[in-house]
Amino acid sequence: GEGLDAVVLAVADDDAVVAKHGDVVGEGELAVVGAGFAPGVLEVALGVVAVDAGVLVAIGDEDVAGGGVDGDVGGAVEGVATLGVIKENRGAYADALASFDNSFNLYKKQGDKGAMAAQYRRMGRIHHLRLARYVKARFYFHKALDLYKELADVEGEARSLYDIGLSHEKTGNFQEADDFYNRGKTIAETLDNPFLMATGSLYLAN
């Protein structure tokens, strides 16, 4: 693979456990790319690997090289969010939320408001889809909506409006849900986006 040639699997007592291409990864071990961070510090993960049947088959990203805890993490920050996806898929929802929160803070440091909004949506969707915390989910969806409005990202606005509508529907606020669905669908029609229009129609039909 391209990019880094090794990953840090764990750090304990200032000693790093390192794996390379073709190494077998034990169940439950979290393969995290570690480029240039201090021994014993694993708060900032800079990327992830692809694992097939327990064997490392792809490592890192060219953007990871040269990153560090206090340095410019560049495009590798998405690796932190990817860890959240992995944890979510494993059912470790609290850990997934922590990863998404970490990636949010890293994107905030970079000033990437679009990515910040995406992390808000990811956190909101865990609360909505995985934990049935619909009011908490709505809080994050509104945060995402505010950022998309600030960026004039109308597609992001439409998606966030649908998210908010779904959270209202789940708590029995059907009129509020319809209002948000209609607002999202109006944007979708302005964009002439068939998928978003169909999504709005489906939500309103239900």
Side-chain angles (χ1 to χ4, degrees), residues 57-185:
V57 294
I59 297 181
D61 184 312
E62 290 179 307
D63 290 334
V64 176
V69 169
D70 297 318
D72 177 13
V73 295
V77 178
E78 181 59 24
V80 184
T82 304
L83 289 175
V85 175
I86 293 170
K87 292 171 183 176
E88 180 182 357
N89 289 338
R90 290 178 174 175
Y93 303 132
D95 290 341
L97 287 168
S99 288
F100 293 141
D101 186 61
N102 286 341
S103 61
F104 173 87
N105 288 326
L106 290 169
Y107 282 124
K108 184 176 181 179
K109 182 177 179 180
Q110 293 181 325
D112 189 340
K113 292 183 179 180
M116 289 163 60
Q119 304 320 299
Y120 273 141
R121 284 194 72 214
R122 282 170 158 165
M123 289 186 279
R125 289 175 68 80
I126 286 182
H127 284 292
H128 183 102
L129 296 172
R130 307 294 193 178
L131 301 174
R133 297 173 180 167
Y134 304 117
V135 175
K136 186 71 171 179
R138 194 179 306 146
F139 167 81
Y140 286 109
F141 294 149
H142 272 290
K143 290 286 190 180
L145 178 62
D146 289 343
L147 283 174
Y148 285 130
K149 284 182 176 179
E150 186 177 339
L151 293 167
D153 181 342
V154 287
E155 183 173 318
E157 284 186 51
R159 294 181 187 278
S160 295
L161 288 166
Y162 288 156
D163 290 336
I164 295 167
L166 287 169
S167 73
H168 277 295
E169 183 176 334
K170 285 293 187 179
T171 53
N173 302 321
F174 301 115
Q175 184 57 59
E176 289 90 342
D178 280 356
D179 289 344
F180 281 99
Y181 293 153
N182 277 309
R183 287 170 61 186
K185 189 167 182 285

Side-chain angles (χ1 to χ4, degrees), residues 10-17 40:
V11 178
D13 298 326
D14 292 343
D15 292 324
V17 179

